[in-house]
Amino acid sequence: MATDPAERATDWLSTAGLRPTRQRLALAELLVGDGQHRHVTAESLFDAAKTDGASVSLATVYNTLRAFCEAGLLREVTVDGARSYFDTNTTDHPHFFWEAEGRLSDAPSEELELKRVPDAPEGAEIASVSVVIKLRKT
Amino acid sequence: MATDPAERATDWLSTAGLRPTRQRLALAELLVGDGQHRHVTAESLFDAAKTDGASVSLATVYNTLRAFCEAGLLREVTVDGARSYFDTNTTDHPHFFWEAEGRLSDAPSEELELKRVPDAPEGAEIASVSVVIKLRKT
DNA sequence: TTAAATGCAAATCTTTTGCACTGGC
DNA sequence: GCCAGTGCAAAAGATTTGCATTTAA
């Protein structure tokens, strides 16, 4: 298990068989460099890259996020209709969505229990189960 | 309880205190006229209205759906990032989403049990819990 | 060398908005 | 008559796409 951010990024890409280009490595490092899970939007990742001094176009951020998703490295989380969020934790788990700030965070999954999930109808299988808990400031 | 579609639509609007304009009545009748729950997008409702011979602009469909939502007559369901769906069933309940067709339908809620839901963090309350089960053809 | 990836700008798609007009109350 | 509701077209966001250029293998 790599501990160096750059190495983590490289490993992450190679497990999915994605070519480690400069842009992908920069984005991958921002996503998984410290080994922690993240929730990003295309825009937020683009800003982070700019702040980091990386040279990546917004279109490439979109295309790269989509490529990471298709490779199974990221999970797309849809929550407010306008923006898409991408989660580095690709397992099914619940999310909190802070309506006021438009921020997504993990909800403690131990505290949620789906006792039983409806069976998929004939001719279909369950691709994923998404649970989003919308929060409002009190 | 009204059994006539037009009457149902009128009642539905009046419970929310919304003025029964011609356009709203036409859309309301398409939504709740037969007493069954529906899942629509702005586009699909607009098409249905046109087919029905009703004269409503797309902008008005959007504005009206939003107004119905704010009045508590509809529940917005976000599922695929691109489009918003509106459900005439405003109670918290799970949905099936057919990825291939982009269609939303109710999942049998008796078969889903949230044993325990994570507590809302300090300073926040739970506004809603959304459960979407994505289906893929086998 | 060569197919894949990138950058940019333009295109697309969904949704909202500004403003003049219409119609419930 | 007043003010909410409507229609249209234009604007606003988010995301994708076309195409020429660059780059990893």
Side-chain angles (χ1 to χ4, degrees):
Chain A
M1 181 61 153
T3 51
D4 174 55
E7 206 179 327
R8 264 213 193 81
T10 307
D11 290 355
W12 195 59
L13 291 180
S14 74
T15 60
L18 289 175
R19 276 162 58 173
T21 65
R22 178 164 30 81
Q23 295 80 182
R24 285 180 176 175
L25 282 169
L27 297 180
E29 197 170 322
L30 288 170
L31 287 167
V32 299
D34 65 0
Q36 298 216 269
H37 285 312
R38 276 206 175 55
H39 305 87
V40 303
T41 62
E43 206 70 38
S44 79
L45 185 59
F46 178 61
D47 289 346
K50 268 197 307 195
T51 301
D52 212 55
S55 161
V56 190
S57 76
L58 180 56
T60 295
V61 172
Y62 273 104
N63 294 335
T64 301
L65 283 173
R66 193 136 310 289
F68 286 0
C69 255
E70 269 154 29
L73 293 175
L74 294 179
R75 167 70 72 90
E76 186 171 4
V77 182
T78 299
V79 54
D80 77 338
R83 250 183 298 278
S84 275
Y85 290 78
F86 296 88
D87 189 349
T88 54
N89 179 355
T90 57
T91 62
D92 264 340
H93 65 286
H95 286 104
F96 283 139
F97 179 66
W98 303 78
E99 290 193 313
E101 311 141 59
R103 191 166 59 79
L104 194 70
S105 66
D106 284 331
S109 65
E110 325 78 54
E111 290 183 22
L112 179 104
E113 264 181 73
L114 298 177
K115 207 170 180 183
R116 199 171 31 157
V117 171
D119 285 331
E122 195 64 36
E125 64 177 350
I126 293 179
S128 69
V129 178
S130 134
V131 177
V132 177
I133 301 162
K134 288 199 181 151
L135 298 177
R136 188 168 30 211
K137 291 239 175 69
T138 44
Chain B
M1 182 62 150
T3 51
D4 174 56
E7 205 180 327
R8 265 214 192 81
T10 307
D11 290 354
W12 195 58
L13 291 180
S14 74
T15 59
L18 289 175
R19 277 163 59 174
T21 65
R22 177 166 33 80
Q23 294 81 180
R24 285 180 175 174
L25 282 168
L27 297 181
E29 196 170 322
L30 289 170
L31 287 168
V32 299
D34 65 359
Q36 299 214 267
H37 285 312
R38 277 208 173 56
H39 304 87
V40 304
T41 63
E43 206 70 38
S44 78
L45 185 58
F46 177 61
D47 289 345
K50 269 197 306 194
T51 300
D52 212 55
S55 162
V56 190
S57 75
L58 180 56
T60 295
V61 172
Y62 272 104
N63 294 335
T64 302
L65 284 173
R66 193 137 309 290
F68 286 1
C69 254
E70 269 155 29
L73 293 175
L74 294 178
R75 166 71 72 89
E76 186 171 3
V77 182
T78 300
V79 55
D80 78 336
R83 252 180 298 275
S84 275
Y85 290 78
F86 295 87
D87 189 349
T88 53
N89 179 354
T90 57
T91 61
D92 263 339
H93 64 285
H95 286 105
F96 283 137
F97 179 66
W98 304 78
E99 291 193 313
E101 311 140 60
R103 190 165 60 79
L104 194 70
S105 67
D106 284 331
S109 67
E110 324 79 52
E111 291 183 21
L112 178 104
E113 266 181 70
L114 299 175
K115 205 172 182 183
R116 197 170 32 155
V117 171
D119 286 331
E122 194 63 37
E125 64 178 350
I126 293 178
S128 70
V129 179
S130 134
V131 177
V132 177
I133 300 161
K134 288 198 180 151
L135 298 178
R136 189 169 29 212
K137 291 240 176 68
T138 43

